[in-house]
Structure formats: structure tokens, C-alpha cells
Amino acid sequence: NTLLVKISFITLLLLLAALNKFRIVPLLKQNSHLAIKKLRISIHFEMVFASIVLILTSLLTTSFVLPIKDTQ
């Protein structure tokens, strides 16, 4: 379940990055104050999503215990 949530947040992060590149950045070339505001909000969401991905990654790496083979 954690892996699926992590992949979902990574997908959201990539979609947000694509939105920035193809919608917001062209507006910035027109010197739009609205574009600056949208980019600032979008960057905040990217930072939140990236933080969630890091937290989920830490959960994935610490919550699974590998079985140790007994050599007796």
C-alpha cells in the first residue's frame, strides 16, 4: 500500500512539473503577475509532494524486515 501511495505522489509531482513547463512558464515570458503567483503556489505544492515522497520512502525502507537465514 505504501508503495502505491508513493507512486501516486510521484505521478502528481511529475504532472505538476509538466503543468509548470507547458502552462505557467510561457505565461512568465509575458511578464504576467498572475503567472508569478501561480508558479509560487505550484512550487509550494511540489515541495509538499516531494516531502511526502521522502517520508513514504523512509517508511518503505524501515518497515520491512528481511528474513535472516539461520545457519544452524
Side-chain angles (χ1 to χ4, degrees):
N1 284 343
T2 309
L3 181 60
L4 185 60
V5 173
K6 178 184 168 187
I7 291 171
S8 299
F9 274 102
I10 290 173
T11 303
L12 286 173
L13 189 62
L14 291 174
L15 288 173
L16 194 56
L19 174 73
N20 287 347
K21 181 173 175 84
F22 296 116
R23 290 262 174 120
I24 298 176
V25 171
L27 287 176
L28 285 173
K29 292 179 181 177
Q30 300 170 1
N31 243 350
S32 169
H33 292 289
L34 180 62
I36 293 170
K37 185 177 177 181
K38 284 183 177 183
L39 184 63
R40 183 175 289 136
I41 291 169
S42 180
I43 289 172
H44 284 277
F45 276 115
E46 282 186 29
M47 290 170 45
V48 168
F49 289 153
S51 298
I52 291 171
V53 168
L54 287 175
I55 290 168
L56 291 171
T57 302
S58 71
L59 287 174
L60 278 172
T61 58
T62 58
S63 63
F64 294 118
V65 177
L66 296 175
I68 298 174
K69 194 174 193 180
D70 195 13
T71 58
Q72 293 179 9

